[in-house]
Amino acid sequence: MPDWPALRVPSSVTFADLLRHHRTAAGLTQEELAARAQLSTDAISTLERGTRRRPRKDTVALLADALALPDEERAAFAAAARRSSAASLAATPPGEAVSALDGHAPALGAVSDSTLPNGVVTFLFADIEDSTRLLHELGDRYADVLAEVQSLLGTIWVAHAGHELGTQGDHFFVVFAYPDDALAAAATAQQALAAYTWPDGVQVRVRIGLHTGAALLTTGRYVGLEVHRAARIAAAGHGGQVVVSAALAEQVAKFGYELPAGTRLRSMGKHRLQDVPHREELSQLVLPDLPGLPTTYPPLRTLDAWPGLRADLTAVALMSAMLLVVVGLLLPLVVPVFPWTIGLVAAGLAVLLLMAAALAQPIRKTLMSNWRDARKPVAAVTSALLCLAVVATTLFITKPPILIGPKPLGYDFNYIYHAPTHRGGAVTVGLWFPLQTLAPIVVSPLPSEGYYGLWQSCLAQLPNVALGFASYRPDQCTQVPSVVNGGESVDGKTTIFHIDPRAVWSDGA
């Protein structure tokens, strides 16, 4: 190849030719240049073959540094890269691409292995959501809509250096050499479909899954677990959604691939996919707001049970822990009988959780993802009710409510414990007028008795009338007084409570 003067490189010379010329002039093999530029040998080979005709700016800069190009030659090198990028977008006119494909992908056997990317590639699977419903709605016109979708998407795949390997009805399988091309193609496809005017007002939406991995290329076909993983990722999404694997997201972060303009990757947590042995970390390519594209999507269609509920439970647990810390540490200052243990245990658990989140990135990412996906109002109300139940139960256990005597209904927080002084025996209550009831007036008396007693602590257990009045019950330390068993006088002025001989009690003196 001739030694072109700086800045006088003919426009017909491609970036691939210029890269090969400079590498040969420097006396470097592809492996040596790849090592210097911190790129893969496959990337150098792809660029020199012209398969990759849209090199990234940072890739061009790395190659220029590795080749030690002077400023003028570096400028010519970058100009050739820009020309190559522009040429790749205009290389196949949309009409020619559609007429060549005729709405269908070429047969797998007709694709030459030499034209397909090898090694680590990015797979794109896509299919039309609710295609059966569309078929019922459109009838014979569905064939025209399907052909329009295939034509529109086929043009987009070609424009972004994609290799369409299979189009069966409403399913698409495309392979890209680089993740940024696949991401750009997916974003463009969703935006194009959303902006398209479809017949009869129907909405055609496609779900897309992207995954980067290595697969065996043989006779125009990719074989391996990564292909199946990509298909499962696509099946988990919804119409208008682009689901991305962790492997692709890592490639973007590691090599600095640019995301399509106005988009970002949003983590969706780990999910179990069918026939995939390990849980897969999935993300969503969040697209700019556009009429026809949903702003929110249902939970992914994975083997996880109720991922939305899992996020809500995480938020409930975090909010409940914070509430119990506050209540458990402050309420004992007002209510001496309330134990400090609840607040201390909740605070300890909160500290352990914060330490685990600070030290372990997977735990932190899971908590942040679940917190972001949770329904905050629902979680807040549930946490408040849960905290209230814990506090009310604890108060009841530490000191039951006093419903007898001159004190108002509520809790006797001035209760002083007295050691037991009696065992068994009886307690007689006498008044100068007939006693109609010992219970609050809002409680209806039993029809078989003139009144019933609601006794504090041992004496305040509501009797189980369905089991009779003759014996002592485990939750009832006294016999229910009645005229028949001698516990209540005929005139109603005296009531005798016969206490279980096994029960100990104090007269409070």
Side-chain angles (χ1 to χ4, degrees):
M1 185 173 295
D3 188 10
W4 297 298
L7 296 181
R8 294 184 183 179
V9 178
S11 60
S12 60
V13 175
T14 66
F15 177 78
D17 295 333
L18 197 56
L19 173 61
R20 188 164 49 252
H21 164 73
H22 284 304
R23 178 181 61 79
T24 303
L28 299 174
T29 64
Q30 290 184 347
E31 292 78 8
E32 292 171 339
L33 177 58
R36 284 191 181 186
Q38 297 181 344
L39 299 171
S40 66
T41 304
D42 181 67
I44 302 297
S45 175
T46 302
L47 288 171
E48 289 192 356
R49 291 200 311 268
T51 305
R52 172 71 169 176
R53 293 190 293 175
R54 289 196 298 138
R56 289 169 46 83
K57 291 181 180 179
D58 54 351
T59 301
V60 175
L62 289 173
L63 289 171
D65 291 339
L67 293 168
L69 297 180
D71 291 342
E72 292 183 350
E73 292 186 358
R74 179 187 291 266
F77 194 63
R82 288 193 297 271
R83 288 197 305 271
S84 180
S85 297
S88 68
L89 291 176
T92 307
E96 293 183 12
V98 174
S99 61
L101 292 173
D102 193 23
H104 301 279
L108 293 180
V111 180
S112 172
D113 287 357
S114 62
T115 64
L116 294 175
N118 204 348
V120 177
V121 297
T122 298
F123 303 103
L124 181 151
F125 279 89
D127 69 290
I128 299 176
E129 186 180 48
D130 293 336
S131 57
T132 303
R133 175 184 58 80
L134 288 174
L135 179 59
H136 285 296
E137 289 184 9
L138 298 174
D140 295 339
R141 289 168 297 172
Y142 177 74
D144 296 332
V145 171
L146 180 59
E148 195 66 30
V149 172
Q150 292 172 339
S151 172
L152 182 63
L153 295 183
T155 304
I156 293 173
W157 308 147
V158 171
H160 291 85
H163 302 266
E164 190 171 10
L165 296 185
T167 300
Q168 298 179 354
D170 59 350
H171 290 71
F172 304 87
F173 175 33
V174 191
V175 179
F176 298 84
Y178 295 91
D180 55 341
D181 287 333
L183 289 167
T188 304
Q190 295 293 20
Q191 292 169 336
L193 291 171
Y196 197 87
T197 302
W198 302 100
D200 298 331
V202 299
Q203 185 67 54
V204 178
R205 289 177 178 168
V206 171
R207 53 183 180 177
I208 297 178
L210 299 174
H211 173 59
T212 297
L216 177 64
L217 175 59
T218 171
T219 62
R221 188 185 301 268
Y222 290 90
V223 181
L225 179 61
E226 303 307 319
V227 180
H228 293 273
R229 193 190 307 273
R232 295 293 183 263
I233 292 172
H238 301 273
Q241 190 174 28
V242 179
V243 183
V244 178
S245 72
L248 192 152
E250 289 173 1
Q251 289 283 318
V252 171
K254 181 177 180 181
F255 297 106
Y257 289 112
E258 294 181 1
L259 297 176
T263 67
R264 61 184 175 87
L265 287 177
R266 171 175 171 266
S267 175
M268 305 185 72
K270 291 186 177 181
H271 294 262
R272 291 187 299 120
L273 303 176
Q274 184 178 356
D275 301 328
V276 176
H278 304 292
R279 294 172 68 88
E280 187 78 20
E281 179 82 25
L282 300 178
S283 301
Q284 176 186 329
L285 181 65
V286 181
L287 304 174
D289 291 339
L290 184 70
L293 277 178
T295 56
T296 59
Y297 298 91
L300 294 178
R301 297 186 181 101
T302 61
L303 298 182
D304 287 302
W306 304 328
L309 178 60
R310 183 176 63 245
D312 290 343
L313 291 177
T314 301
V316 168
L318 294 175
M319 290 184 178
S320 298
M322 291 186 290
L323 283 175
L324 288 176
V325 169
V326 175
V327 173
L329 295 178
L330 295 182
L331 194 58
L333 300 176
V334 181
V335 184
V337 297
F338 194 85
W340 291 85
T341 309
I342 293 179
L344 295 176
V345 171
L349 292 176
V351 170
L352 290 177
L353 185 62
L354 291 175
M355 291 178 59
L359 298 177
Q361 184 178 6
I363 296 178
R364 182 170 63 256
K365 290 179 62 177
T366 300
L367 288 177
M368 293 178 63
S369 175
N370 287 338
W371 176 263
R372 183 173 53 247
D373 295 340
R375 296 172 296 175
K376 307 300 190 306
V378 174
V381 172
T382 305
S383 302
L385 293 176
L386 181 61
C387 184
L388 180 62
V390 172
V391 171
T393 302
T394 306
L395 286 173
F396 182 81
I397 293 174
T398 55
K399 184 64 184 74
I402 298 176
L403 301 180
I404 302 176
K407 296 181 180 180
L409 300 181
Y411 291 88
D412 180 11
F413 296 129
N414 297 319
Y415 172 78
I416 300 177
Y417 174 76
H418 295 277
T421 58
H422 300 75
R423 179 183 295 274
V427 173
T428 301
V429 176
L431 297 174
W432 60 274
F433 59 87
L435 185 63
Q436 297 299 318
T437 177
L438 292 177
I441 192 64
V442 295
V443 182
S444 302
L446 298 176
S448 59
E449 298 286 329
Y451 70 92
Y452 75 97
L454 186 62
W455 302 284
Q456 166 68 13
S457 187
C458 177
L459 303 178
Q461 301 300 319
L462 183 64
N464 189 342
V465 296
L467 300 175
F469 303 109
S471 62
Y472 300 100
R473 304 297 307 165
D475 62 342
Q476 188 173 300
C477 298
T478 71
Q479 283 184 328
V480 175
S482 64
V483 176
V484 177
N485 64 19
E488 183 180 344
S489 63
V490 178
D491 59 5
K493 294 183 178 181
T494 304
T495 301
I496 302 175
F497 297 101
H498 296 281
I499 302 175
D500 189 328
R502 297 165 298 181
V504 294
W505 56 281
S506 172
D507 58 8

